[in-house]
């Protein structure tokens, strides 16, 4: 047997072995991994990063053609108050497998069901999301291939309107899909 034939057989065996692991062990992982035991650590990490209070209903790990984390009842508070800024019934984070092998974090998609957000601009012209939009350095280079919103609702309140008073706009039943979402790059919708 030549080296080339041996190499092809080895590659074929590795491919078969990888497929068996993917098909057999993958669906068993959610039974072995209880992500809810790390829920408080996740909340602490998010609060430290966002500088806002956050609460999560439940977190689970599922396997549907790859690893996913499902968060039920996500609530994010305003920067300096207990008023709710954002809530979602369910958020699903779908991880990419190949980047994990390279020790990179890449999300295939983020699916947000039942999002409700309130964006406000005060009389001085500052947005309640300015702190979230500010450029920050991060140890993790997070890549997101797509974001999908289903049945979202966004309320815009403007106290700096040239017309005077408070202007309010409410958008409901929003279904939106954004592809190739990366900071500083053009995407598509």
């Amino acid at each position: 047997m030549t080296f080339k034939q041996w190499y092809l057989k080895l590659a074929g065996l590795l491919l078969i072995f990888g497929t068996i692991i993917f098909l057999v062990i993958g669906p068993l992982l959610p039974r072995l991994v209880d992500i809810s035991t790390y829920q408080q650590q996740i909340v602490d990490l998010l609060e430290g990063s966002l500088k806002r209070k956050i609460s999560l209903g439940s977190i689970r790990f599922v396997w549907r053609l790859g690893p996913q984390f499902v968060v039920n009842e996500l609530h994010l508070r305003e920067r300096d108050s207990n008023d709710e800024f954002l809530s979602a019934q369910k958020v699903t984070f779908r991880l990419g497998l190949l980047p994990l092998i390279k020790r990179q974090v890449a999300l295939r998609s983020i699916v947000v069901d039942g999002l409700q957000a309130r964006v406000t601009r005060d009389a001085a012209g500052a947005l309640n999301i300015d702190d979230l939009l500010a450029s920050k350095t991060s140890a993790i280079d997070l890549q997101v291939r797509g974001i999908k919103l289903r049945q979202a609702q966004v309320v815009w309140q403007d106290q700096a309107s040239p017309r005077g008073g408070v202007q309010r706009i409410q958008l409901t039943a929003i279904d939106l899909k954004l592809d190739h979402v990366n900071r500083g790059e053009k995407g598509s919708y």
Side-chain angles (χ1 to χ4, degrees):
M1 179 170 5
T2 66
F3 178 73
K4 187 176 182 180
Q5 291 173 330
W6 180 82
Y7 185 74
L8 287 174
K9 284 184 180 183
L10 179 64
L13 286 173
L14 288 175
L15 181 65
I16 291 170
F17 182 68
T19 304
I20 290 170
I21 288 175
F22 182 79
L23 294 175
V24 174
I25 295 178
L28 293 175
L29 276 177
R31 298 184 198 290
L32 301 173
V33 176
D34 184 15
I35 194 74
S36 64
T37 58
Y38 301 102
Q39 184 165 341
Q40 189 57 48
Q41 290 173 309
I42 293 169
V43 167
D44 292 343
L45 179 70
L46 289 172
E47 285 181 349
S49 175
L50 298 174
K51 307 288 189 257
R52 292 171 180 243
K53 291 287 184 192
I54 190 167
S55 65
L56 306 174
S58 65
I59 303 174
R60 10 180 220 117
F61 175 73
V62 295
W63 187 276
R64 290 194 184 110
L65 297 177
Q68 299 179 18
F69 295 96
V70 179
V71 177
N72 290 312
E73 297 302 324
L74 176 129
H75 298 276
L76 185 62
R77 304 286 175 218
E78 288 288 353
R79 181 177 33 220
D80 297 322
S81 75
N82 280 329
D83 295 338
E84 190 165 85
F85 157 65
L86 178 141
S87 69
Q89 293 171 352
K90 182 170 87 169
V91 182
T92 304
F93 300 93
R94 295 183 176 140
L95 294 174
L97 284 177
L98 291 178
L100 287 176
I101 294 170
K102 299 175 189 173
R103 294 184 180 215
Q104 297 172 340
V105 178
L107 297 173
R108 285 188 0 230
S109 67
I110 300 173
V111 180
V112 184
D113 292 306
L115 172 78
Q116 293 187 353
R118 186 172 57 94
V119 181
T120 61
R121 182 168 67 163
D122 64 17
L127 296 173
N128 67 335
I129 58 172
D130 281 343
D131 60 318
L132 298 175
L133 298 176
S135 179
K136 299 175 188 170
T137 58
S138 174
I140 300 173
D141 179 27
L142 181 65
Q143 299 175 359
V144 180
R145 263 198 242 157
I147 298 174
K148 183 185 278 189
L149 302 178
R150 296 192 285 214
Q151 291 300 308
Q153 175 181 320
V154 177
V155 175
W156 164 258
Q157 265 184 271
D158 190 359
Q159 297 172 358
S161 173
R163 297 181 185 173
V166 176
Q167 301 294 318
R168 180 181 159 98
I169 299 172
Q170 183 171 345
L171 303 172
T172 59
I174 300 170
D175 286 337
L176 177 67
K177 181 180 179 187
L178 301 170
D179 290 325
H180 305 292
V181 181
N182 289 317
R183 187 179 287 263
E185 296 180 16
K186 290 185 177 182
S188 61
Y189 58 94

